[in-house]
Amino acid sequence: MAVSTRTKGGAARSLIVVLIVIAVVAALGFGYASPYIALNNLKRAADARDAETVNQYVDFPALRESLKQQVTGLLTHRLDSHGNGNPLAAIGAMIGVALIGPLVDAYATPDGVAALLNGMPPRGEPGERPPAPPADGKTANNAGNNAANNSAKNAANNAANTTARSAPDNAGNSATPPQPPQTTAGYRSLNEFVIRYQHGAGDARYTAIFRREGLFTWKFAAVDLND
């Protein structure tokens, strides 16, 4: 009888150990996948302009500050490259500073988040705004399709954003159509997860940065336009 009791007790302990191991492995797996899940959820919400869900996955104060710094850097680099010895450089600097606030305001929105996650970062151009949502409300299912669809929608305004995964749209045009952005995603550190975008060899690259909040929560908090 005692042997039977000990056997049952040992089996129970073994079952508990197995359950604990399964729970730990599941938690580790979910923890590793959590930024990918956050990215997917945010992208779907941003493409649908679901502001309530977007707010759950974006640290807007941090993103605004990052956009301000990055756009200022873009304008400074542009002025430095064209302004040495140029009397118009000071005027350009003042105009550039005036552009920063409205541009940041425009991109620190669901429209701006959708643009940033679809390969369309701000360029620091006068009057620049993120593209409007599709009129029919339809959204793509993944980053590549979203980038292609949104770029094609804005082809008239920005040829660099047009995409063609198959044949060129204009048969008579011999120019090679721009390709959709190449994207790579992964951990940069324990608490940072990044998505890198590049439209082609030699083209400008930029990075969208998610930061950990708590154990499994991630928020879109910054961009690097000079990555």
Side-chain angles (χ1 to χ4, degrees):
M1 190 70 177
V3 173
S4 177
T5 302
R6 286 196 297 271
T7 301
K8 290 180 179 179
R13 285 193 294 273
S14 297
L15 178 59
I16 291 172
V17 170
V18 169
L19 292 175
I20 291 174
V21 170
I22 292 174
V24 169
V25 171
L28 290 174
F30 180 76
Y32 179 83
S34 57
Y36 294 93
I37 296 171
L39 170 61
N40 181 66
N41 291 342
L42 173 59
K43 195 165 189 315
R44 288 177 180 273
D47 287 339
R49 296 338 189 245
D50 179 355
E52 182 176 353
T53 302
V54 168
N55 286 337
Q56 296 175 12
Y57 289 98
V58 179
D59 184 345
F60 275 110
L63 181 60
R64 287 179 61 87
E65 184 61 28
S66 176
L67 283 167
K68 182 178 179 181
Q69 293 176 358
Q70 293 295 310
V71 173
T72 300
L74 285 177
L75 294 172
T76 300
H77 177 74
R78 189 175 302 165
L79 290 171
D80 286 345
S81 62
H82 298 290
N84 290 336
N86 187 345
L88 296 178
I91 298 176
M94 290 187 291
I95 295 175
V97 170
L99 291 174
I100 292 173
L103 191 152
V104 170
D105 289 341
Y107 271 84
T109 62
D111 282 353
V113 170
L116 289 167
L117 296 181
N118 279 311
M120 292 175 281
R123 302 292 183 182
E125 302 295 339
E128 184 178 10
R129 296 185 63 83
D136 59 4
K138 293 181 180 179
T139 59
N141 291 325
N142 56 57
N145 289 336
N146 276 314
N149 292 339
N150 281 316
S151 294
K153 251 188 359 153
N154 291 281
N157 296 324
N158 188 353
N161 287 333
T162 54
T163 62
R165 288 188 178 274
S166 55
D169 291 333
N170 300 318
N173 188 352
S174 60
T176 302
Q179 297 299 305
Q182 303 170 4
T183 61
T184 58
Y187 283 86
R188 185 156 70 182
S189 68
L190 181 63
N191 297 316
E192 278 196 351
F193 180 85
V194 300
I195 306 95
R196 292 186 173 89
Y197 299 81
Q198 183 172 4
H199 278 274
D203 197 4
R205 298 178 298 174
Y206 77 100
T207 300
I209 303 169
F210 281 65
R211 291 183 178 138
R212 186 193 297 273
E213 290 190 4
L215 191 58
F216 299 124
T217 302
W218 294 82
K219 288 191 175 183
F220 182 24
V223 292
D224 186 348
L225 301 179
N226 299 292
D227 189 11

